[in-house]
Amino acid sequence: MKTDAFIGLGSNLQEPVAQLARAVAELAALPTTTLVAQSPFYASSPVGPQDQPDFVNGTAWISTELEPHALLDQLQAIEQAHGRERLEHWGPRTLDLDLLIFGNQVLDDDRLTVPHRELPNRDFVLHPLLDLNPDLKLPDGTTIANLRAQCPDNRLRKLPPRDYP
């Protein structure tokens, strides 16, 4: 049985827009997974240390037969293939893939929290989620639109669409 999942994408190193475009293609190629849609990409100020480049962010909507932890393993493998290094909390990165929402499941263990713990504080994730599905809700019924209305602004700027291989 397939589950709809929403993935947050972020990058601020080594051609961030191209990093995200490649990551979306890799998500579409995951086993037993279909890419339903991808959001436009947005530029935003970094969260955490400010002595780094702005981020490019977006979201992807997938339908998958993978279980949440198996999907997390796949996301981390994609990050590693893009040269992701975890040197500094909220520091610069080639690619960050976050499992934001996984169907109506609520998980909280040592490896994975779904819905993502920081979702209410991240306009650079909430706005792209609304682009994908303006009626999207969390398992507790909270709407993404309501979260976005209460979220602090992070100088989000929509980037023009571009084609990448």
Side-chain angles (χ1 to χ4, degrees):
M1 183 164 128
K2 288 203 170 190
T3 301
D4 284 341
F6 293 85
I7 312 299
L9 307 104
S11 175
N12 70 342
L13 297 176
Q14 300 177 20
E15 300 181 40
V17 172
Q19 292 279 4
L20 297 192
R22 285 192 303 271
V24 169
E26 290 168 294
L27 290 171
L30 290 177
T32 66
T33 299
T34 303
L35 178 67
V36 176
Q38 77 173 72
S39 74
F41 295 151
Y42 292 83
S44 65
S45 301
V47 172
Q50 297 296 300
D51 60 341
Q52 59 181 315
D54 282 355
F55 273 82
V56 175
N57 296 96
T59 56
W61 178 356
I62 62 172
S63 179
T64 186
E65 291 180 23
L66 295 170
E67 292 298 320
H69 287 89
L71 179 56
L72 176 64
D73 291 340
Q74 293 287 336
L75 298 179
Q76 290 176 342
I78 292 170
E79 288 177 340
Q80 290 304 111
H82 284 248
R84 169 77 189 263
E85 294 180 328
R86 297 175 189 275
L87 302 175
E88 178 182 10
H89 187 61
W90 291 337
R93 59 202 70 177
T94 53
L95 183 63
D96 186 28
L97 298 176
D98 290 326
L99 181 51
L100 304 170
I101 300 170
F102 192 86
N104 285 321
Q105 292 193 35
V106 176
L107 301 166
D108 190 3
D109 62 37
D110 59 334
R111 290 191 61 218
L112 182 61
T113 300
V114 175
H116 193 281
R117 180 177 287 118
E118 292 294 330
L119 194 58
N121 306 314
R122 304 288 190 251
D123 66 341
F124 55 83
V125 173
L126 295 170
H127 199 87
L129 283 172
L130 289 171
D131 288 333
L132 294 178
N133 182 346
D135 300 319
L136 187 61
K137 295 178 183 178
L138 298 179
D140 69 2
T142 302
T143 66
I144 297 300
N146 187 44
L147 289 178
R148 176 61 186 106
Q150 299 175 34
C151 183
D153 183 62
N154 198 38
R155 294 190 358 231
L156 200 62
R157 301 165 311 279
K158 188 174 182 179
L159 298 177
R162 296 168 65 177
D163 293 323
Y164 286 90

